[in-house]
Each structure stands twice: as structure tokens, then as C-alpha cells.
Amino acid sequence: MRAPIELTKEAITHMTSPAELLRDFVNTYDVEGDADELSSPAELSLWLREHDLIGDDDRAMEGDLAVAIRLREGLRHVLRLNHDGMPYDAPEELGTALAALPMRVTLSGGSPALEPAVGGAPGGLTRIAALIPAAHADGSWPRLKVCAESTCQWAFIDTSKNRSRAWCSMRVCGNRNKTRTYRARRRAESSSGHDGEYGDTGKEGS
């Protein structure tokens, strides 16, 4: 079994796994509530600083915010694809963000590590991007998903044995989806029964 790709100490201080920080980054935007924690460069700086991804004096710029949003929403897109368990390529949005975040491979103590090739806010975002191969290496990447409920799309880590979990919350989004499916089925059955009522005899003049 391959050893996980090591990350810089700054990137792992406030997390227990790469998947958790990726999840938290995607969840900086609440789709259902339309609330964005990264609505300005200042807020991006604060989030990166709180997760020890940048220094106290580092400040994000508008360009950094644009890259962060592309990275986040590109990640949300591929986490939806993790429900299928099929191979996929990075969408253009994610590919564009990753291309703007240069990183280099280093060897420390004989172990490979991915480190930003730039500093400041771009370096902090690069540390987030470096968590993608790290999560793949430790086996957690396929378990990273977003809620299948289209109005939610909250990121979560699927801890079920067969990786079959589809919703962030079975009690909320799962029941909401099942209720909608049930109602649609009842409407279809009702429509079918109504057609049958007039289908046998016809209704002349209608």
C-alpha cells in the first residue's frame, strides 16, 4: 500500500485528514442558504489564515478570490461524480484553477511532499489543491461527496462500508428526496388511473 503524500506542517495543523479540509473548503458556500464565507478577498484571507494556510501578513487579492471560487466549485462538481464510482476527468473550471496554482514535489527524509511553488494567498490555495492527491493516496478521495439533493450539495465524507451514502443527512435531505419521489409516483399513478377511467369508453364531444 502506498504511503500518503506528505504535506507541509502548516497545511495539516487544523485537520485530521486531507478529506476534512477539502470538505470544509467546499462547504464555505452553503448552496441551500446561498451564504458564502468567501465573498471578498478579506474573507478569503481570514479563512486561509484560520486554517494556517497563510501567514498573518498575507493578504488575498481579487484574482486570488476568483481562483478560490473556481477551485471550490470545481471540487463540488467532481465530488458529485464520486457518487458514480466511475473514472472522470477534471472539469474545465477545476482544471483552470489547478493550472493557476503551481506546486513542486520535494523529498524530505525519503518521503515525497507537495509544496507550493508560490507564497501568500496563492500558496495557501495551492496547499488546498495539494490535498486532492493526498486524499486519493490515503483512500479518502472516493468517500468525499456532495449531497445528492440538488438544493443542498453540502460536502460530506461517506463513512458507510460500501460507500453508498447519497445524502449529507438521511433525516433531512434523504427524507426530502424520498417524499418528492413518492409524490411524483402518486401523481403518475393518479394520472394513469384517470386516463384509464376515460380510455375504455371514450368521451365523445370532448
Side-chain angles (χ1 to χ4, degrees), residues 17-20 22-23 75 78-85 88 132 135-147 154-168:
S17 75
E20 288 182 330
L22 287 169
R23 175 201 61 195
L75 282 168
V78 296
L79 297 193
R80 284 197 296 268
L81 300 178
N82 277 349
H83 285 282
D84 300 331
Y88 55 81
I132 299 174
H136 187 273
D138 70 16
S140 60
W141 177 257
R143 294 186 176 275
L144 259 175
K145 302 176 179 179
V146 293
C147 185
W154 191 254
F156 66 93
I157 300 173
D158 181 358
T159 57
S160 65
K161 288 185 178 181
N162 59 357
R163 299 206 302 260
S164 61
R165 183 175 160 193
W167 300 289
C168 63

Coordinates of all heavy atoms in Angstrom, one line a residue, residues 17-20 22-23 75 78-85 88 132 135-147 154-168:
S17 N -7.4 14.9 8.5 CA -7.2 14.3 7.2 C -7.4 15.3 6.1 O -8.0 16.3 6.2 CB -8.3 13.1 7.1 OG -9.5 13.7 6.8
P18 N -6.7 15.0 4.9 CA -6.9 15.9 3.8 C -8.4 16.0 3.4 O -8.8 17.1 3.0 CB -6.1 15.1 2.7 CG -5.1 14.4 3.4 CD -5.7 13.9 4.7
A19 N -9.1 14.9 3.5 CA -10.5 15.0 3.1 C -11.3 16.0 3.9 O -12.2 16.6 3.4 CB -11.2 13.6 3.2
E20 N -11.0 16.1 5.2 CA -11.8 17.0 6.1 C -11.6 18.5 5.7 O -12.5 19.2 5.6 CB -11.4 16.8 7.5 CG -11.9 15.5 8.1 CD -11.5 15.3 9.6 OE1 -10.5 15.8 10.0 OE2 -12.3 14.7 10.3
L22 N -10.7 19.5 2.6 CA -11.3 19.7 1.3 C -12.8 19.9 1.5 O -13.5 20.7 0.9 CB -11.0 18.5 0.4 CG -9.6 18.4 -0.1 CD1 -9.4 17.1 -0.8 CD2 -9.4 19.5 -1.1
R23 N -13.4 19.0 2.4 CA -14.8 19.1 2.7 C -15.2 20.5 3.2 O -16.1 21.2 2.8 CB -15.2 18.1 3.7 CG -16.7 18.1 4.2 CD -16.8 17.4 5.5 NE -16.0 18.0 6.6 CZ -15.7 17.4 7.8 NH1 -16.1 16.2 8.0 NH2 -14.9 18.1 8.6
L75 N -14.3 21.6 -7.4 CA -14.3 20.5 -6.5 C -15.7 20.0 -6.2 O -15.9 18.8 -6.2 CB -13.6 20.9 -5.1 CG -12.1 20.9 -5.1 CD1 -11.6 21.6 -3.9 CD2 -11.5 19.5 -5.2
V78 N -16.7 17.7 -9.1 CA -16.2 16.3 -9.1 C -16.7 15.5 -7.9 O -16.8 14.3 -8.0 CB -14.6 16.3 -9.2 CG1 -14.2 17.0 -10.5 CG2 -14.0 17.0 -8.0
L79 N -17.0 16.1 -6.8 CA -17.5 15.4 -5.7 C -18.9 14.8 -6.0 O -19.3 13.8 -5.4 CB -17.5 16.2 -4.4 CG -16.1 16.7 -3.9 CD1 -16.3 17.3 -2.5 CD2 -15.1 15.6 -3.9
R80 N -19.6 15.5 -6.8 CA -20.9 14.9 -7.3 C -20.6 13.6 -8.1 O -21.4 12.7 -8.0 CB -21.7 15.9 -8.1 CG -22.3 17.0 -7.4 CD -23.4 17.7 -8.2 NE -22.8 18.4 -9.4 CZ -22.5 19.7 -9.3 NH1 -22.6 20.4 -8.2 NH2 -22.0 20.2 -10.4
L81 N -19.5 13.6 -8.8 CA -19.2 12.5 -9.7 C -18.7 11.3 -8.8 O -18.8 10.1 -9.3 CB -18.1 12.8 -10.7 CG -18.5 14.0 -11.7 CD1 -17.3 14.3 -12.6 CD2 -19.7 13.6 -12.5
N82 N -18.3 11.5 -7.6 CA -17.8 10.4 -6.8 C -19.0 9.5 -6.3 O -18.7 8.4 -5.8 CB -17.1 11.0 -5.5 CG -15.7 11.3 -5.8 OD1 -15.1 10.9 -6.8 ND2 -15.0 12.0 -4.9
H83 N -20.2 9.9 -6.6 CA -21.3 9.0 -6.3 C -21.3 7.8 -7.2 O -21.8 6.8 -6.9 CB -22.7 9.8 -6.4 CG -23.0 10.7 -5.3 ND1 -23.4 10.3 -4.1 CD2 -22.8 12.0 -5.2 CE1 -23.6 11.3 -3.2 NE2 -23.2 12.4 -3.9
D84 N -20.9 8.0 -8.5 CA -21.0 7.0 -9.5 C -19.9 6.0 -9.4 O -20.1 4.8 -9.9 CB -21.0 7.7 -10.9 CG -22.1 8.6 -11.1 OD1 -23.2 8.4 -10.5 OD2 -22.0 9.6 -11.8
G85 N -18.7 6.3 -8.9 CA -17.6 5.4 -8.8 C -17.0 5.1 -10.2 O -16.3 4.1 -10.3
Y88 N -13.3 9.8 -14.2 CA -13.7 11.0 -14.8 C -12.5 12.0 -14.9 O -11.5 11.8 -14.2 CB -14.9 11.7 -14.0 CG -14.5 11.9 -12.5 CD1 -13.8 13.0 -12.1 CD2 -15.0 11.0 -11.6 CE1 -13.4 13.2 -10.8 CE2 -14.7 11.2 -10.2 CZ -13.9 12.3 -9.8 OH -13.6 12.5 -8.5
I132 N -5.8 17.2 -2.8 CA -6.5 16.2 -3.7 C -5.7 14.9 -3.9 O -6.3 13.9 -3.6 CB -6.8 16.9 -5.1 CG1 -7.7 18.2 -4.8 CG2 -7.5 15.9 -6.0 CD1 -7.9 19.0 -6.1
A135 N -5.6 13.0 -0.6 CA -6.8 12.3 -0.2 C -6.9 11.0 -1.1 O -7.4 10.0 -0.6 CB -8.0 13.2 -0.4
H136 N -6.5 11.1 -2.3 CA -6.5 9.9 -3.2 C -5.5 8.9 -2.6 O -5.9 7.7 -2.6 CB -6.2 10.3 -4.6 CG -6.3 9.2 -5.6 ND1 -5.3 8.3 -5.8 CD2 -7.3 8.8 -6.4 CE1 -5.7 7.4 -6.7 NE2 -6.9 7.7 -7.1
A137 N -4.4 9.3 -2.2 CA -3.4 8.4 -1.7 C -3.8 7.7 -0.4 O -3.5 6.5 -0.2 CB -2.0 9.1 -1.5
D138 N -4.5 8.4 0.4 CA -4.9 7.8 1.7 C -6.2 7.0 1.6 O -6.7 6.5 2.6 CB -4.9 8.7 2.9 CG -6.0 9.8 2.8 OD1 -7.0 9.6 2.1 OD2 -5.9 10.8 3.6
G139 N -6.8 7.1 0.4 CA -8.1 6.3 0.2 C -9.3 7.0 0.5 O -10.4 6.5 0.3
S140 N -9.2 8.3 0.9 CA -10.5 9.0 1.3 C -11.1 9.8 0.2 O -12.3 10.2 0.3 CB -10.1 10.0 2.5 OG -9.2 10.9 2.1
W141 N -10.4 9.9 -0.9 CA -11.0 10.7 -2.0 C -12.3 10.2 -2.5 O -13.3 10.9 -2.7 CB -10.0 10.8 -3.2 CG -10.5 11.6 -4.4 CD1 -11.0 11.0 -5.5 CD2 -10.7 13.0 -4.5 NE1 -11.4 12.0 -6.4 CE2 -11.3 13.2 -5.8 CE3 -10.5 14.1 -3.7 CZ2 -11.6 14.5 -6.3 CZ3 -10.8 15.3 -4.1 CH2 -11.4 15.5 -5.4
P142 N -12.5 8.9 -2.8 CA -13.8 8.4 -3.3 C -14.9 8.5 -2.3 O -16.1 8.5 -2.7 CB -13.5 6.9 -3.5 CG -12.0 6.7 -3.6 CD -11.5 7.8 -2.7
R143 N -14.6 8.8 -1.0 CA -15.6 8.9 0.0 C -16.0 10.4 0.1 O -17.0 10.7 0.8 CB -15.1 8.4 1.4 CG -14.9 6.9 1.4 CD -14.5 6.4 2.7 NE -14.4 4.9 2.8 CZ -15.4 4.1 2.9 NH1 -16.6 4.6 3.1 NH2 -15.2 2.8 2.9
L144 N -15.3 11.3 -0.5 CA -15.7 12.7 -0.5 C -16.8 12.9 -1.5 O -16.6 12.7 -2.7 CB -14.5 13.6 -0.9 CG -13.7 14.3 0.3 CD1 -12.5 14.9 -0.3 CD2 -14.6 15.2 1.0
K145 N -17.9 13.4 -1.1 CA -19.1 13.6 -1.9 C -19.8 14.9 -1.6 O -19.5 15.5 -0.5 CB -20.1 12.4 -1.8 CG -19.5 11.0 -2.1 CD -20.5 10.0 -1.9 CE -19.9 8.6 -2.2 NZ -21.0 7.5 -1.9
V146 N -20.7 15.3 -2.4 CA -21.7 16.3 -2.0 C -23.1 15.7 -2.1 O -23.3 14.7 -2.8 CB -21.6 17.6 -3.0 CG1 -20.3 18.3 -2.9 CG2 -21.9 17.2 -4.4
C147 N -23.9 16.3 -1.2 CA -25.3 15.7 -1.1 C -26.0 15.6 -2.4 O -25.9 16.6 -3.3 CB -26.1 16.6 -0.2 SG -27.7 16.0 0.2
W154 N -24.3 19.9 0.0 CA -23.3 20.0 1.1 C -22.3 18.9 1.1 O -22.6 17.7 0.9 CB -24.1 20.0 2.4 CG -23.3 20.4 3.7 CD1 -22.8 19.5 4.6 CD2 -22.9 21.7 4.1 NE1 -22.2 20.3 5.6 CE2 -22.2 21.6 5.3 CE3 -23.2 23.0 3.5 CZ2 -21.7 22.7 5.9 CZ3 -22.7 24.1 4.2 CH2 -22.0 23.9 5.4
A155 N -21.0 19.2 1.2 CA -20.0 18.2 1.1 C -19.9 17.4 2.4 O -20.1 17.9 3.5 CB -18.6 18.9 0.8
F156 N -19.6 16.1 2.2 CA -19.5 15.2 3.4 C -18.6 14.1 3.1 O -18.2 13.8 1.9 CB -20.9 14.7 3.8 CG -21.5 13.8 2.8 CD1 -21.4 12.4 2.9 CD2 -22.3 14.3 1.8 CE1 -22.0 11.5 1.9 CE2 -22.9 13.4 0.8 CZ -22.7 12.1 0.9
I157 N -18.2 13.4 4.1 CA -17.3 12.2 3.9 C -18.2 11.0 4.2 O -18.7 10.8 5.2 CB -16.1 12.2 4.9 CG1 -15.3 13.5 4.6 CG2 -15.3 11.0 4.7 CD1 -14.2 13.7 5.6
D158 N -18.3 10.1 3.2 CA -19.1 8.9 3.2 C -18.4 7.9 4.0 O -17.4 7.3 3.6 CB -19.4 8.4 1.8 CG -20.3 7.2 1.8 OD1 -20.7 6.7 2.9 OD2 -20.6 6.7 0.7
T159 N -18.8 7.6 5.2 CA -18.2 6.6 6.1 C -18.9 5.2 6.1 O -18.5 4.3 6.8 CB -18.1 7.1 7.6 OG1 -19.5 7.4 8.0 CG2 -17.3 8.4 7.7
S160 N -19.9 5.1 5.2 CA -20.5 3.8 5.1 C -19.6 2.7 4.5 O -18.6 3.1 3.8 CB -21.8 3.9 4.2 OG -21.4 4.2 2.9
K161 N -19.8 1.5 4.9 CA -18.8 0.4 4.5 C -18.7 0.3 2.9 O -17.7 0.1 2.4 CB -19.3 -0.9 5.1 CG -19.0 -1.0 6.6 CD -19.4 -2.4 7.1 CE -19.1 -2.5 8.6 NZ -19.4 -3.8 9.1
N162 N -19.9 0.4 2.3 CA -19.9 0.2 0.8 C -19.9 1.5 0.0 O -20.2 1.5 -1.2 CB -21.0 -0.7 0.4 CG -22.4 -0.1 0.8 OD1 -22.4 0.9 1.4 ND2 -23.4 -0.8 0.4
R163 N -19.6 2.6 0.7 CA -19.6 3.9 0.1 C -20.9 4.2 -0.7 O -20.9 4.8 -1.8 CB -18.4 4.1 -0.8 CG -17.1 3.9 -0.2 CD -16.0 4.6 -0.9 NE -15.8 4.2 -2.3 CZ -14.9 3.4 -2.7 NH1 -14.1 2.8 -1.9 NH2 -14.9 3.0 -4.0
S164 N -22.0 3.9 -0.1 CA -23.3 4.1 -0.8 C -24.1 5.3 -0.3 O -25.2 5.5 -0.8 CB -24.2 2.8 -0.5 OG -24.4 2.6 0.8
R165 N -23.6 6.0 0.7 CA -24.4 7.1 1.2 C -24.5 8.2 0.1 O -23.6 8.6 -0.6 CB -23.6 7.7 2.4 CG -24.3 8.8 3.1 CD -23.6 9.2 4.4 NE -23.9 10.6 4.8 CZ -23.2 11.2 5.7 NH1 -22.1 10.7 6.3 NH2 -23.5 12.4 6.1
A166 N -25.7 8.7 0.0 CA -26.0 9.7 -1.1 C -26.3 11.1 -0.5 O -26.1 12.1 -1.3 CB -27.2 9.2 -1.9
W167 N -26.7 11.2 0.7 CA -27.2 12.5 1.3 C -26.3 12.9 2.5 O -25.8 12.0 3.2 CB -28.6 12.4 1.7 CG -29.5 12.1 0.5 CD1 -29.9 12.9 -0.5 CD2 -30.2 10.8 0.3 NE1 -30.7 12.2 -1.4 CE2 -31.0 11.0 -0.9 CE3 -30.3 9.6 1.0 CZ2 -31.7 9.9 -1.4 CZ3 -31.1 8.6 0.5 CH2 -31.8 8.8 -0.7
C168 N -26.2 14.2 2.7 CA -25.5 14.7 3.9 C -26.2 14.3 5.1 O -25.6 14.0 6.1 CB -25.3 16.2 3.8 SG -26.8 17.1 3.8

